[in-house]
Amino acid sequence: MTPVKGRTRRTAAALAVLMGVAVLGGCGIRPTQVPVDAGPAPSRVPCEVTGENLTPQAQPQGVPVRVYLVCASQLASVDRTAPMSDAKAGDSRLRVAQALLDQLEKEPSAPEHEAGFATYVRGPLTLSGARKGDPAGTLRLSRQPEDLPTAALAQIVCTFAESRAAATDGSVLLGGPGEYEPRGYQCSAGTKERPEEAVPTLGALPSAS
């Protein structure tokens, strides 16, 4: 092969490459030799507070409690320490319920917030015991339960249902400050999965004995 023919072939090859680049550019495609890095996939909200972030020693006079907060549009439980002595915790159902309600009103701690937890229970909310004519085990809120945000009522019901604040059948009997009769609420699997929907209620409650 003569030098002239070699240069001619190299020139033709170079022109072919340039034409290919021009075609790609005309189609709106930009050639690249480096893989595109789209970055890491978005991480899921863990909805779990790791053990090393828990500091129950900070409240030596407290007792361990479990409350339900909202995370990823569902109810998820977190363990806390309520400032209440062990001796008194078992003596008063109303005292336990108020301690749980106070915990639900608290803003999530830094580790809870980082894990995606939030609360819809806004205070101040207080509890009182059953009135004359109320079924045994009734708790009356300082606001009508039906007036609370649905997710907040779900948090309260599920937290109470899994504690000594529940009635003997596991339901939660709640009333408000008015003359309305109390209602029995249940914490179902659907309530935990969809706290924005109406909390299931029981039928007619038994009269006070």
Side-chain angles (χ1 to χ4, degrees):
M1 183 175 63
T2 64
V4 174
K5 289 183 178 181
R7 286 196 298 271
T8 301
R9 289 182 178 180
R10 287 195 294 271
T11 301
L15 288 173
V17 171
L18 291 174
M19 290 178 65
V21 172
V23 170
L24 290 175
C27 296
I29 301 175
R30 181 172 297 177
T32 178
Q33 296 178 348
V34 181
V36 177
D37 183 6
S43 58
R44 293 184 177 181
V45 178
C47 295
E48 182 177 350
V49 182
T50 55
E52 58 267 23
N53 290 328
L54 301 177
T55 55
Q57 297 85 357
Q59 293 179 319
Q61 298 300 317
V63 294
V65 296
R66 177 167 293 179
V67 298
Y68 276 92
L69 304 180
V70 178
C71 187
S73 300
Q74 297 183 349
L75 293 187
S77 63
V78 297
D79 294 323
R80 288 182 175 175
T81 301
M84 181 172 51
S85 67
D86 288 309
K88 294 181 180 179
D91 297 340
S92 173
R93 180 170 165 274
L94 178 60
R95 185 181 178 88
V96 171
Q98 185 64 58
L100 292 172
L101 186 61
D102 292 342
Q103 289 296 313
L104 289 172
E105 291 180 16
K106 291 177 59 176
E107 287 297 321
S109 64
E112 291 169 350
H113 180 74
E114 291 174 2
F117 287 98
T119 183
Y120 287 81
V121 181
R122 296 288 182 265
L125 284 174
T126 57
L127 284 168
S128 57
R131 297 177 183 172
K132 183 178 180 180
D134 286 346
T138 295
L139 297 168
R140 285 194 172 264
L141 286 163
S142 54
R143 288 182 61 189
Q144 195 66 26
E146 295 83 1
D147 293 339
L148 298 173
T150 307
L153 181 58
Q155 285 183 248
I156 294 171
V157 170
C158 287
T159 298
F160 285 4
E162 298 182 8
S163 73
R164 288 190 291 270
T168 54
D169 62 354
S171 63
V172 179
L173 308 183
L174 292 177
E179 299 301 322
Y180 295 104
E181 294 183 355
R183 283 184 171 184
Y185 295 89
Q186 292 180 313
C187 177
S188 65
T191 303
K192 294 180 181 179
E193 293 172 0
R194 299 176 297 277
E196 293 292 345
E197 296 184 3
V199 181
T201 56
L202 302 175
L205 298 178
S207 302
S209 55

